[in-house]
Amino acid sequence: MPSPQRLATLRHYFPLTRWLSDYQRSDFISDLIAGMVVGVLLIPQGMAYAFLAGLPPQYGLYAAIIPLLIYALLGSSRSLAVGPVAIASLMVGSTIADATASGLGDPVSIAINLSLLVGTILICLRILQLGSIVNFMSHSVISGFTSAAALLIGVSQLRHLTGLAIPNDGFITDSLGFLLQHLSSINGITLLLGLLGLLVLWFCKAKLAGILSRSPLPDWLIQPLCRAGPMFAMIISILFVASSGLAQHDQIAIIGKIPQGLPVIGLISIDLQLWQQLLTPAILIALIGFLESVSVGTTLASRERERIDPNKELVALGAANLGAAFSGTYPVAGGFGRSMVNFASGARTTIASIIAALMVAITVSFLTPLFYYLPKAILGAVIIMAVLPLIDIHAFRASWTFNKADALTMFSTFIAVLTLGVELGILCGIGISFLLFIYRSSQPHIAVVGRVGNSQHFRNVARHEVTTDKHILAIRVDESLYFANTRFVEDFIRAQCASRREVEHVIMICNAVNFIDASALESLENLTLQLASEGVTLHLAEVKGPIMDRLQQTTFLQQLSPGQVFFTADEAMCALTKATAEGQPSKGQLS
């Protein structure tokens, strides 16, 4: 019997053991159903996403075995479904294309090294406690990137739906232009199969639930049937192609032979020159995969009034990607669509992921010959239907209404990804968001304030009915003071004083100022001297304690004299109004 301390440690590092402590038979049934539903969805998606990544289809299935088992042991989310995902697959495919063009190895070796790098990066982030680094990737950047990537993914699958050799290595307009120029060369049977696949997938997703709800089937069976659209499309197309001989007579592209057997655990050949080229895309894949996983996990956990631990997710996802590397496949992450299906199907713990992984393992071991006649057009249809919900036009409209700067960031990222590629596009988006942040903070909102009635509250003179004193200028700076905005604040105060020749005192209300850097301190010192030369005294009010502690370690308070630091704006206004009336210097109280 393990000691309580050892048991607590075990539960800390392996959340599954904590959930199993009160695991019931009903929980297992729920996990079993959810695992089977996700497994049925994961098999066609895994092959399709490997296809998208430029790898043979079995590698998408490999990515849904060992990584899922590892995450099931270490993950802190009950419902997060880890495995191959669309966005990561696109980024992997782009990276593989660039690396192979440079002659740095074969696609499989590149994908394995990419998994190793992604896993290592995530583990290093946890060791360095840098999980919060994803906070620097704004929602606007991620939304713009995701929409553009989904559009790129959809366009890239047109070649499989039409049977045309549409180039995917140029601009998106090149692909669409090629399609328009070769409409007469489209393989009609391939296009028909692709459209039928899209129709089946749409019907299962949008209409089947309503039809089955009016049937005598139990609710627990209706959910899996509605989610099994990709599997239905695969089975129907395989039977149709195999029985009709379309692959031979009409040149229908099929998957062909898929090797049987589980992935082999092995060592990895490390090439430092390859790693040098893979480092940047690996960092982006790691960050985007982690951000998507944590976002989905947090959303699902909140519905159960629980929370996930981002630090544990770093370890779990890092270990899952290391498992992907050593089992010879490409990077994985938590997928939004599958996770929602897992949750909706009633998953209670990560046992559901273990069951899904076992289903995929059985498929790889015994059932791969059944996929020989699977048309590539169906895999293309599966990918298109999976990424369509990621194109979020509503998010742009909402951002434009609420904050046009965020909408500009989103649109710029969207265009950059479409024109420059996935890695450069998202880097441009991150750069644009930082520039906009610096621009906004370099021009902070500054309000001239006055007293509201007879109260102790002070509000913007442009928005409220307030009273002011012509000899006192009270301003509120709604931003911390640092090197990028000190000149703006200084110019604003001097301009206000120049336009109000009667001003004798300036009160800077600092309740929104959280820090003052060295450049801002120097600027305040210069402002004090400049105002003094014009017969105006600078005062501070509502300075926060930590800032006051730092100011007391400098000579600024002595240089500020006869200016004072007041505890509240009301106290400053009362003291200075009285002093102005009596022609006497004021006395303030340090915060």
Side-chain angles (χ1 to χ4, degrees), residues 38-61:
V38 173
V40 168
L41 179 62
L42 189 52
I43 292 167
Q45 276 194 354
M47 291 191 289
Y49 290 156
F51 207 45
L52 178 60
L55 297 169
Q58 65 266 25
Y59 289 95
L61 299 177

Side-chain angles (χ1 to χ4, degrees), residues 162-195:
T162 60
L164 297 175
I166 301 175
N168 291 327
D169 54 353
F171 294 117
I172 189 172
T173 52
D174 296 337
S175 299
L176 295 176
F178 185 93
L179 175 63
L180 293 175
Q181 292 173 7
H182 296 81
L183 289 176
S184 59
S185 302
I186 290 177
N187 187 313
I189 302 298
T190 298
L191 180 61
L192 180 62
L193 278 174
L195 293 177

Side-chain angles (χ1 to χ4, degrees), residues 374-388:
L374 175 62
K376 292 183 178 181
I378 297 299
L379 291 182
V382 169
I383 292 173
I384 289 174
M385 288 300 294
V387 300
L388 275 180

